[in-house]
Amino acid sequence: MANYPKIGIRPTIDARQGGIRESLEEKTMALANAVAKLISENLKNGDGSPVECVISDTTIGRVAEAAACQEKFERENVGSTITVTSCWCYGSETMDMDPTHPKAVWGFNGTERPGAVYLAAVLAAHAQKGLPAYGIYGHDVQDLSDNTIPADVAEKILRFARAAQAVATMRGKSYLSLGNTCMGIAGSIVDADFLQNYFGMRTEYVSLVEILRRVDYGIYDHEEFEKAMQWVEKFCKTNEGHDYNEDRALFPGTPMTTFNGKGKGKNREEKDADWEFTVKCMMIIRDLMCGSAKLKEMGYLEEALGHNAIAAGVQGQRQWTDYKPNFDFPESMLCTSFDWNGPRESKILATENDFLNGMSMLFGHLLTNKGAMFSDIRTYWSPEAVERVSGKRPEGAAADGFIHLINSGATTLDATGAMTDAEGNPTMKPHWEITEQDMENCLNATSWMPADRDYFRGGGYSSHFLTKGGMPMTMLRVNIVAGLGPVLQLAEGWTVELDKDVNDMLDKRTDPTWPTTWFAPRLDPSKDAFKDVYSVMNNWGANHGAIVYGHVGADLITLCSMLRIPVCMHNIADKDIFRPACWNAFGMDKEGADYRACENFGPLYK
């Protein structure tokens, strides 16, 4: 089991002895235990283990007790804190002063003791000291004897805890940059200072030559490779799709190393060799990210260590893919929540080394524990354009138009929608819920297409599938703007299905060898960027986006406020936005206040 960070629970209390403190000890500890129970029963880490909470050994009434609590939290790997109280306490003495810990305070709404007064006082202290905290105050008054957590309080506690655990999990990890800048894409200019200052992460740079070295020298688990190839024979090679390269002419002067006489298509022997090569690449990339005990047994002590990477990106185009099979299979399968070893936590491997999209995928994965898609935000299809091209006007969820999400690379097979919930609806699952049937359904829904050798001269295999409609999804992206810094944009919506003939006609206008997802964002006439689907597409800030299962926009907004990244575009209701209490001091327009607060407090780790 991984050593995940824990959430510290700080029960604060009125320190006056002789009747006051004694009467509150049981109540205060009961609230702390209730919060810990709520979190551990509802939130899980990436390996499926419950998020652990650590409670202070004593209630905290004075600074010495706050210091003792902090020492315990440091020993226990606490990465964020929630302070709870039902009474007045000494604010600046009892508050959490760690500048890197996301922190929240729940002030019990009861009339017998002034918990709300302490909440307001300590939030003011947090603001004055430059240590933003999230204030949690229940809507309705509770009796002093009531230790239950109201639904509105529980929602905020869990929203904070999900985001805070994501922040703490990223801290101290690495982003592994395999290769360098891809085809001039700015997102693949990996910014080590940004990763360090905003996420507490380091950046590791490895040349793609290292993958070739490990292939040539056999630095991978050979037993696992044989197992993987048996799995590929059964589930992937049997689902190879049409080789469109056979329909493409080989132009004179094109540096193409192999072809079978049918245009640019490879022969069977060459295709089989591509399968073996690309499986080795997948295993090697995983080992570079996470290390391998097997490599240690083989005597490769340095290679066995890995790079402690929680996310990675691989350059691929153009130098690699003009020469060797592409990384589409490794990208798709590493981002999938299973492989030949069965269900496992999905990895984050960004296509084209777009680290900004990789970090966006990581946000979504850490908040949901599910696979994350990497896609081009490729095309907006208006109802009129669909009707002109296909002769049919889209209906239902697609009636207002939709966005075509498609990319050759890291689209997790989870996104086929071939997994089903208890009611038979398409879904995506955390890996500990995935069954053998779920895996087979995803594989059966996926064709492995010989890579388009106009794009990828070295060959390879690209996953091709059509995402089932009706799944709630959130599309997101971090962008960096000169003079402003990072911003995040998001759009909640749903996958949609089209009539088969319409789907085929539209899909083949782009690239029939890549996976397709049709996405309809939820519209909101009160927001310019969401007044129609065209506006969503027109306001998107980059060519790529990360897409995760579920409507998690509110969680993303909370997460970004912890990291001091303003949100420039979203379709979340104001009532669901949960940011630190001192954001209110930066003006009554929520988005403008978010920008001003993030600029004022600066990156979390700088």
Side-chain angles (χ1 to χ4, degrees), residues 381-394 502 505-506:
W381 278 100
S382 67
E384 294 77 14
V386 174
E387 187 173 24
R388 179 185 64 80
V389 168
S390 70
K392 293 184 178 180
R393 195 172 183 88
V502 176
M505 196 173 297
L506 270 52

Side-chain angles (χ1 to χ4, degrees), residues 259-448:
F259 63 99
N260 67 356
K262 297 179 181 179
K264 296 180 180 179
K266 291 189 176 185
N267 62 38
R268 186 68 257 170
E269 182 180 356
E270 293 164 340
K271 289 178 179 179
D272 289 345
D274 280 1
W275 272 118
E276 292 190 2
F277 182 83
T278 199
V279 168
K280 291 174 185 177
C281 287
M282 175 178 163
M283 294 172 59
I284 289 167
I285 291 169
R286 181 200 61 198
D287 292 347
L288 282 163
M289 291 179 68
C290 308
S292 166
K294 183 66 175 181
L295 295 186
K296 185 176 182 181
E297 292 177 15
M298 294 169 63
Y300 295 105
L301 304 186
E302 185 179 3
E303 290 87 344
L305 294 173
H307 289 267
N308 193 37
I310 195 171
V314 61
Q315 175 191 342
Q317 299 185 72
R318 288 252 328 264
Q319 292 83 0
W320 177 279
T321 54
D322 281 1
Y323 171 53
K324 290 291 185 181
N326 65 19
F327 291 114
D328 286 8
F329 179 82
E331 289 168 5
S332 287
M333 288 309 306
L334 282 171
C335 290
T336 295
S337 300
F338 62 85
D339 57 23
W340 43 82
N341 294 315
R344 50 126 176 97
E345 183 178 5
S346 64
K347 306 294 183 187
I348 300 299
L349 182 63
T351 301
E352 296 163 346
N353 199 24
D354 183 349
F355 89 106
L356 291 175
N357 217 57
M359 293 305 298
S360 304
M361 293 166 70
L362 181 60
F363 288 2
H365 171 64
L366 292 175
L367 290 173
T368 66
N369 289 321
K370 299 172 184 177
M373 293 173 57
F374 184 114
S375 287
D376 279 354
I377 313 303
R378 181 62 69 102
T379 309
Y380 160 66
W381 278 100
S382 67
E384 294 77 14
V386 174
E387 187 173 24
R388 179 185 64 80
V389 168
S390 70
K392 293 184 178 180
R393 195 172 183 88
E395 299 177 344
D400 293 323
F402 45 86
I403 296 171
H404 192 184
L405 307 178
I406 181 171
N407 191 280
S408 68
T411 305
T412 169
L413 268 57
D414 304 32
T416 58
M419 301 181 195
T420 54
D421 61 20
E423 287 74 42
N425 300 310
T427 189
M428 293 170 64
K429 299 180 179 179
H431 75 270
W432 56 86
E433 294 181 4
I434 292 176
T435 65
E436 289 286 337
Q437 190 62 57
D438 288 328
M439 292 187 287
E440 289 199 23
N441 289 346
C442 290
L443 290 163
N444 290 336
T446 304
S447 298
W448 293 99

